[in-house]
Amino acid sequence: MKHLLTILLAFALSAALQAQTATDSVPGSPLATDQIGTGVAKPDSVTATPTVTETPSGPTVTPVDVDDEKPRTVLHYYDKHGEPLDEPVLFLATLDTVQKVRSKPIYPLYNGLNVGVNFGDAIFIAAGQRYGSFDLWANVSLHNWFFPTIECGLGYANDTPEKSNFTYRTSPSFYAKLGLNYNFLYKSNPDYQVFLGVRAGFSSFSYDVTDIRITSDYWNETQNLSLRGLRSTSFYGEALAGLQVKIVGNFSLGWTARWHFNMHTSADGDNRPWFIPGYGGASPISMTVSAIWTIPAKKKEKDAIPETP
């Protein structure tokens, strides 16, 4: 009996070892707990081994959306007044402040007073001319842009024109002119001007025409005549161009070139004047030179504008 039990026990151990060996030979197919004794695995109990995918190492890239409507940035070399900048600056193109330069004044409405004396004809008289006009004038600076001007003076003549048969005399007679200058340098230093202007002039005067020589070739005679106490009234206009330059302090010199045109001059009988005070002689072009004293406007410190170097 003892030997029979030993044989049965050995047989059972042998069967168990065979079942264990069979289970280990099938990887990934473990037996269920309730099937160990039988060694049979249920098909639903088989568990699949998961597949692992390796991710390559490297920096993580985050996608960025490109906004085509985002404002561009550009360099600007001029300010909003069109003046060049010392260094370029960066602005958003959609916020560009560059605007068209406006022709607006930078000086106050009343910017001073100029008083001048015209002595140009004195130079020509020293060179031999025998007629001339001398005047005092004044103008007001409006924004250093427009200059309403008034001129008052005396003109005289005592001349025998070339290739003429008479002597023309006019005692010193009054004339007056009223006009306007336009200064092209209205944004610059008021000590310097480049301008165009217009004038309307008036004079009422008397004159003599003497030593009139009338020669008759037929009779071979020469007759002298004189016409005295003739009178005339004249209205005339002028277009002028000039400049004004500071010399020292408030003292300046000015030069103008003038073109005269006659609007109306009355005649005494059949006689018309050869010289008109303020207008000149036969030539429609004249030159004037003026010594000018400037009385600047008083400016508040906060409104003062620095002079252009």
Side-chain angles (χ1 to χ4, degrees):
M1 190 65 178
K2 182 179 180 180
H3 292 288
L4 179 61
L5 291 173
T6 302
I7 292 171
L8 290 175
L9 182 60
F11 179 78
L13 290 173
S14 176
L17 289 173
Q18 290 179 357
Q20 182 68 34
T21 302
T23 301
D24 294 338
S25 65
V26 182
S29 302
L31 296 177
T33 304
D34 58 349
Q35 295 174 336
I36 293 177
T38 60
V40 179
K42 294 182 180 180
D44 294 339
S45 65
V46 178
T47 303
T49 304
T51 303
V52 179
T53 303
E54 295 183 0
T55 302
S57 60
T60 302
V61 178
T62 302
V64 178
D65 293 335
V66 178
D67 186 1
D68 294 333
E69 296 182 357
K70 184 178 180 181
R72 298 181 299 105
T73 55
V74 295
L75 284 176
H76 290 264
Y77 296 89
Y78 299 89
D79 63 15
K80 65 180 181 180
H81 301 295
E83 301 295 336
L85 298 170
D86 294 335
E87 295 182 0
V89 295
L90 190 65
F91 292 95
L92 289 177
T94 55
L95 299 178
D96 191 0
T97 58
V98 175
Q99 301 176 355
K100 183 179 179 180
V101 178
R102 296 181 180 180
S103 298
K104 60 181 181 180
I106 63 173
Y107 289 93
L109 176 62
Y110 175 70
N111 196 55
L113 175 70
N114 294 311
V115 178
V117 54
N118 170 25
F119 63 92
D121 276 347
I123 300 174
F124 296 111
I125 289 173
Q129 181 175 286
R130 300 188 63 186
Y131 60 88
S133 298
F134 304 89
D135 56 66
L136 292 173
W137 59 265
N139 63 29
V140 177
S141 174
L142 303 180
H143 296 302
N144 191 42
W145 196 349
F146 299 99
F147 292 78
T149 305
I150 184 170
E151 304 177 11
C152 297
L154 298 174
Y156 87 100
N158 185 5
D159 193 14
T160 301
E162 292 184 5
K163 300 179 180 180
S164 297
N165 63 340
F166 63 88
T167 297
Y168 186 94
R169 292 186 176 90
T170 299
S171 59
S173 302
F174 176 79
Y175 67 89
K177 302 177 186 178
L178 186 65
L180 181 74
N181 292 347
Y182 178 97
N183 179 25
F184 290 94
L185 303 181
Y186 61 91
K187 289 186 177 181
S188 300
N189 191 330
D191 294 333
Y192 303 91
Q193 297 181 29
V194 175
F195 58 87
L196 293 177
V198 292
R199 300 285 189 274
F202 164 80
S203 181
S204 180
F205 57 98
S206 62
Y207 60 96
D208 299 331
V209 182
T210 62
D211 300 328
I212 302 172
R213 295 183 300 277
I214 300 176
T215 301
S216 172
D217 294 334
Y218 181 80
W219 297 104
N220 195 23
E221 293 181 354
T222 300
Q223 185 178 4
N224 292 330
L225 299 176
S226 294
L227 301 174
R228 301 179 183 275
L230 303 175
R231 295 198 59 83
S232 178
T233 299
S234 179
F235 295 90
Y236 54 89
E238 295 177 349
L240 57 92
L243 57 89
Q244 179 174 322
V245 177
K246 175 181 176 180
I247 302 302
V248 61
N250 292 331
F251 176 73
S252 304
L253 286 177
W255 298 263
T256 61
R258 306 186 181 220
W259 177 68
H260 309 270
F261 52 95
N262 192 357
M263 293 188 288
H264 172 75
T265 298
S266 62
D268 192 334
D270 293 331
N271 301 292
R272 290 186 174 274
W274 173 80
F275 171 85
I276 300 173
Y279 181 100
S283 174
I285 299 175
S286 65
M287 297 286 296
T288 61
V289 182
S290 296
I292 305 166
W293 183 261
T294 300
I295 304 173
K298 294 182 179 180
K299 299 177 182 178
K300 297 180 180 179
E301 184 177 354
K302 63 179 182 179
D303 296 331
I305 299 176
E307 295 185 355
T308 303

